[in-house]
Amino acid sequence: MRNSVKKRALALTMAAAVAAGMLTGCCGSSSDSAEVSEAGSIVNTAGDGEKVLRFGCQNYGDGLVDPANQINAAWNCMRYGIGEALFKFNDSMETEGWLADSCEVSDDHLTWTIHLKDGIKFSDGCDMTASKVKESLDRLKADGPNGSSSPDKYLEYEAEITADDAANTITIRTKTAYTNLPGNLAYPVMAIVDVEHITDWNNGVIGTGPYVIEKFTDQVGYDLIANEHYREEVPYDKVELLYMGDATAKAMALKNGQVDLVENITNVSDIQDLQNDENFTVDIASGVRCGFSWINFNGVLGNDALRQAVLMGIDYDSICVSNLIGGLYTSGCSVLPSNLSYGYDTLNNPFAYNAERAKKLLDDAGIVDTNGDGIREMDGQNVVLDYVYYDNRLLKEFAQAHHQYLNEIGIEVNEREGSSDDQWSSLVAGDYDFNANNWTTVGNGDPTEYMANWYSKGTADFCGYVNAEYDELYEQLLTEMDEDARVKIITRLQQILIDDAAVLVDGYYNSSMIYSKNVGYAHIHTADYYWLSTEIVPAQ
């Protein structure tokens, strides 16, 4: 199934630490191959010869894994192999069954009947019943115990969910027609967890994934062990997941044997060295991520001439092929990647790089340097743009490159580097001129949720952008079921943003997974929700 839904579907759920008392409760006792630790997690007692994977990765959301807590925590849960979903995406961003094996939708796209796979168990040994799936989805309506991952972006709070344990189905009735509800249910926030038996919301949820949390060390990482109740063979007995935020640190750890597998080395020289070294394999996925910066329309960049000149003053094509970025991004002018089927080739960019034209535009608008310090002024103040970013997926390198280009046309930049949480807090508070991030554009198989970032009547428009035509078309998109009509709307939405110089687009990121000869196979998926999985196996 692609963006439209016919008669099949998919699913997700999560796995993690389990309270000791729960293991011997309604779900039965664990097998002889495991015991329960003092923390309540399953401990693998395998001796010599156990298969261990050492995985270096970025730390997001302070390592939390409860999908109801925040979006980063939901992604962690799925990426770490703790959680799965009713549905998942293949590398063509088509939905496929994961915990569900079929889906039927009514003609009005308001009633969805999802059949769950038989024999699925949570990592505590409890059966994944339709009632437990309903409990997991209903729990999200309360925003979770410690925060909110905004689940209403994917399934409206008004949705009525009923469970039929005998038929092993759940039925979801919505007030809003969804074009592809399985795609929404594949998003990590919608993970299925065993709500009844969760005892530690911060560092443990009980899901259905191949790995289970044994130990969490703040700022260090996780010790994961194989889920003995998983429905297929788990390739590793243990996974040592180590947080490594610096790309060079990942590369060095891989080269010196500290880790076997890493994700997303973004230093160009490091990844090129690894590509040229026969001892390592670099797997790169054609990306659907866009590196971009929100532009704060409530600040100085609300000035049309300044905003347009800024975009014309940056040579994105040269940046993306330079040694700074090294081809890890593909340049482009739209918020949607050029490899998606949303009319990119028909778009026109009136603000392509032209430094001289940018300077003239600023001069004509009276944004000039009057005191000879090299910085243009507007309303009597130097134009100094507050650029917020965090050091991941080359956002820092883009910010530094943009800084240099903007200096050349007389614009100063104040770089503010922080954590991903700092970046988000600044965005929500409106405390920025540019706010850089890297987003999956079709996180639920469709760009509608992503395009809400510029819908002025929604809760996601943190940049203060307002365009009546954009809003009207976006509202049409929310109810349009015809695929061809949706493509036309989405194409027009992109062009409006381009014409309004509404977004600073870095380009389209290509994710990577790099591994040593200790690993037989690993793969980075287009939807990079999936890191640790049973397809990652030891070398023979």
Side-chain angles (χ1 to χ4, degrees), residues 223-468:
D223 288 341
L224 306 170
I225 57 174
N227 173 10
E228 65 170 330
H229 301 289
Y230 199 61
R231 55 193 175 275
E232 60 184 85
E233 181 180 356
V234 180
Y236 288 96
D237 302 305
K238 185 174 183 178
V239 176
E240 296 175 0
L241 187 149
L242 301 172
Y243 289 137
M244 297 178 176
D246 182 77
T248 295
K250 289 180 188 175
M252 291 300 297
L254 194 60
K255 291 176 181 178
N256 66 27
Q258 182 184 355
V259 295
D260 310 304
L261 173 75
V262 299
E263 49 79 30
N264 291 306
I265 290 177
T266 54
N267 288 21
V268 174
S269 59
D270 287 330
I271 200 165
Q272 289 177 344
D273 286 346
L274 290 165
Q275 286 175 320
N276 294 328
D277 191 331
E278 63 179 9
N279 293 306
F280 302 99
T281 300
V282 179
D283 184 69
I284 295 180
S286 177
V288 293
R289 281 184 167 274
C290 180
F292 70 96
S293 289
W294 282 275
I295 295 177
N296 189 350
F297 278 73
N298 294 318
V300 293
L301 287 174
N303 181 285
D304 290 345
L306 176 59
R307 200 172 59 254
Q308 293 166 5
V310 162
L311 296 191
M312 281 192 292
I314 300 173
D315 188 350
Y316 308 95
D317 292 341
S318 294
I319 293 173
C320 285
V321 299
S322 69
N323 289 332
L324 193 68
I325 305 300
L328 291 177
Y329 276 76
T330 301
S331 63
C333 63
S334 174
V335 296
L336 290 178
S338 51
N339 64 344
L340 296 176
S341 301
Y342 294 112
Y344 183 89
D345 291 341
T346 69
L347 300 176
N348 173 57
N349 180 18
F351 307 117
Y353 175 61
N354 189 323
E356 294 307 312
R357 184 179 166 215
K359 292 176 184 177
K360 185 176 187 306
L361 181 59
L362 292 169
D363 290 341
D364 292 346
I367 305 173
V368 296
D369 175 18
T370 62
N371 59 14
D373 65 355
I375 305 174
R376 294 174 183 267
E377 296 132 41
M378 189 171 72
D379 299 327
Q381 300 291 322
N382 281 354
V383 179
V384 182
L385 302 180
D386 203 19
Y387 200 135
V388 178
Y389 61 87
Y390 61 105
D391 188 8
N392 185 243
R393 296 191 180 92
L394 298 171
L395 296 179
K396 179 177 182 177
E397 286 76 7
F398 274 113
Q400 293 172 340
H402 296 163
H403 189 166
Q404 294 180 21
Y405 274 105
L406 293 178
N407 280 172
E408 292 176 7
I409 63 170
I411 304 297
E412 185 54 276
V413 173
N414 174 40
E415 296 184 33
R416 284 172 50 198
E417 179 181 352
S419 68
S420 59
D421 289 336
D422 294 333
Q423 172 270 326
W424 185 256
S425 296
S426 295
L427 177 69
V428 173
D431 180 23
Y432 69 94
D433 290 309
F434 287 125
N435 189 293
N437 210 329
N438 180 295
W439 274 37
T440 295
T441 58
V442 284
N444 59 354
D446 180 275
T448 303
E449 186 261 334
Y450 168 72
M451 300 297 284
N453 283 305
W454 300 278
Y455 173 56
S456 70
K457 299 179 184 179
T459 59
D461 179 20
F462 296 115
C463 58
Y465 173 71
V466 180
N467 181 296

Side-chain angles (χ1 to χ4, degrees), residues 2-3 336-344 483 486-488 490-491 494:
R2 201 172 177 80
N3 290 328
L336 290 178
S338 51
N339 64 344
L340 296 176
S341 301
Y342 294 112
Y344 183 89
E483 185 67 22
R486 290 180 63 81
V487 170
K488 291 180 180 178
I490 292 168
T491 302
Q494 294 174 82

Side-chain angles (χ1 to χ4, degrees), residues 104-132:
E104 296 185 1
V105 58
S106 60
D107 291 339
D108 59 9
H109 280 237
L110 296 175
T111 302
W112 303 76
T113 302
I114 299 168
H115 187 271
L116 307 176
K117 289 183 178 179
D118 295 327
I120 302 292
K121 290 182 180 293
F122 291 104
S123 60
D124 58 3
C126 290
D127 292 332
M128 189 195 75
T129 64
S131 292
K132 283 190 172 291

Side-chain angles (χ1 to χ4, degrees), residues 154-188:
Y154 313 101
L155 180 62
E156 63 186 17
Y157 283 137
E158 297 81 6
E160 176 189 351
I161 303 171
T162 57
D164 186 335
D165 288 336
N168 204 23
T169 61
I170 62 166
T171 299
I172 301 176
R173 296 181 179 84
T174 64
K175 292 184 178 180
T176 301
Y178 287 80
T179 56
N180 177 21
L181 185 60
N184 288 32
L185 296 176
Y187 195 75

